């Protein structure tokens, strides 16, 4: 039996992920739906790292801006505590735990999967990343601190399935391709085969799983 941990996107409604889990119908699979730990301004939902400052101004990804990364690391610590409980109290083995994240949730899922060495030398079973992937600061040359942190990688990196909409107006297809290239280079540099990353595009916008074709591709993964 496997465990699929779902990471919702920013402000997303919890109930739609319950419906998603019911519709996926993956054999011998349990589901755990997370709530992001950081509340958005004006009680408008939750996020995995801040996207607005205290004045409700958008926080851009820039070489010297740490706020977003600090929030992402906070989320990572929260999820590590959860995973440790799943392992110690409920006997879930790390290779039997899989992540599925949407948008910012996909970024958080990949962040945890890449930095899981302290939890277990073995990687998690795999990550499904929908409508986003690696943290955008990984694209910035000269970022204020190294990201990702290679000393925190598990013994091998987990397989990743990336799904992106060709009509995505929030996270452009070009930016998604750049992030895929960064991940591929990262995997090559640590001798993880590039076929550990599966890149897929579908005719959709910034959406969760939207077609039978997309769902079937994820199930095959």
């Amino acid at each position: 039996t496997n465990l699929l941990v779902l990471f919702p996107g920013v402000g997303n409604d919890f109930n739609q992920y319950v419906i998603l889990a019911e519709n996926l119908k993956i054999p011998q699979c349990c589901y755990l739906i997370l709530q992001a730990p950081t509340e958005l301004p004006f009680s408008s939902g939750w996020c995995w790292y801040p996207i607005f400052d205290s004045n409700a101004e958008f926080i851009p990804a820039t070489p010297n801006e740490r706020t977003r990364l600090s929030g992402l690391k906070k989320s990572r610590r929260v999820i590590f505590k959860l995973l440790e409980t799943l392992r110690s109290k409920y006997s879930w083995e790390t290779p039997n735990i899989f992540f599925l994240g949407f948008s910012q949730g996909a970024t958080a899922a990949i962040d945890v999967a890449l930095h899981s060495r302290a939890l277990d030398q073995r990687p998690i079973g795999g990550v499904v990343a929908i409508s986003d992937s690696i943290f955008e600061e990984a694209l910035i040359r000269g970022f204020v601190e190294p990201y990702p942190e290679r000393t925190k990688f598990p013994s091998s990196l987990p397989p990743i399935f990336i799904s992106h909409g060709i009509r995505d107006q929030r996270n452009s297809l070009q930016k998604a391709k750049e992030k895929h290239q960064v991940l591929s280079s990262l995997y090559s540099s640590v001798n993880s085969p590039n076929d550990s990353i599966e890149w897929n595009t579908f005719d959709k916008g910034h959406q969760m799983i939207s077609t039978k074709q997309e769902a079937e591709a994820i199930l095959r993964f």
Side-chain angles (χ1 to χ4, degrees):
T1 302
N2 294 320
L3 176 65
L4 182 62
V5 182
L6 282 78
F7 292 66
V10 172
N12 265 317
D13 178 22
F14 181 87
N15 290 328
Q16 71 174 318
Y17 289 87
V18 175
I19 296 170
L20 171 66
E22 291 172 345
N23 289 338
L24 282 175
K25 298 177 181 176
I26 301 174
Q28 295 185 309
C29 186
C30 299
Y31 301 89
L32 178 62
I33 306 169
L34 304 183
Q35 176 179 289
T38 303
E39 191 168 11
L40 291 166
F42 314 115
S43 301
S44 55
W46 302 86
C47 60
W48 298 101
Y49 55 86
I51 50 177
F52 300 106
D53 63 19
S54 57
N55 297 316
E57 296 287 335
F58 181 74
I59 304 172
T62 59
N64 296 309
E65 175 56 68
R66 293 178 184 267
T67 305
R68 289 160 43 99
L69 181 57
S70 295
L72 187 63
K73 287 183 176 181
K74 173 187 172 184
S75 294
R76 189 194 306 167
R77 291 191 295 269
V78 170
I79 297 164
F80 275 5
K81 289 180 180 178
L82 169 68
L83 294 174
E84 187 54 53
T85 300
L86 290 172
R87 282 161 39 85
S88 62
K89 189 172 181 180
Y90 299 102
S91 302
W92 283 102
E93 292 289 337
T94 305
N96 296 117
I97 298 174
F98 293 78
F99 295 163
L100 186 153
F102 170 65
S103 192
Q104 200 189 82
T107 299
I110 288 178
D111 176 77
V112 172
L114 292 180
H115 296 98
S116 63
R117 187 181 188 89
L119 183 73
D120 195 329
Q121 291 277 357
R122 299 169 299 171
I124 66 162
V127 182
V128 175
I130 299 174
S131 298
D132 210 343
S133 61
I134 196 168
F135 193 46
E136 187 168 346
E137 277 75 342
L139 275 59
I140 299 176
R141 292 194 177 189
F143 184 59
V144 68
E145 62 181 274
Y147 187 89
E149 300 166 75
R150 294 176 181 241
T151 58
K152 297 182 179 180
F153 286 0
S155 57
S156 62
L157 297 178
I160 297 176
F161 177 102
I162 299 172
S163 169
H164 207 87
I166 60 174
R167 294 182 285 107
D168 193 325
Q169 298 297 312
R170 185 174 301 178
N171 294 324
S172 71
L173 184 60
Q174 179 58 40
K175 180 62 69 65
K177 289 178 178 178
E178 290 174 17
K179 291 185 174 186
H180 172 236
Q181 183 58 51
V182 166
L183 272 171
S184 295
S185 298
L186 183 67
Y187 272 55
S188 294
S189 70
V190 296
N191 297 318
S192 281
N194 274 341
D195 60 7
S196 292
I197 303 175
E198 188 175 330
W199 164 260
N200 300 267
T201 56
F202 296 93
D203 185 14
K204 65 172 188 175
H206 192 74
Q207 296 168 267
M208 229 319 177
I209 302 168
S210 61
T211 64
K212 183 179 179 182
Q213 179 190 17
E214 185 178 6
E216 288 175 346
I218 291 170
L219 289 173
R220 285 195 299 271
F221 170 77

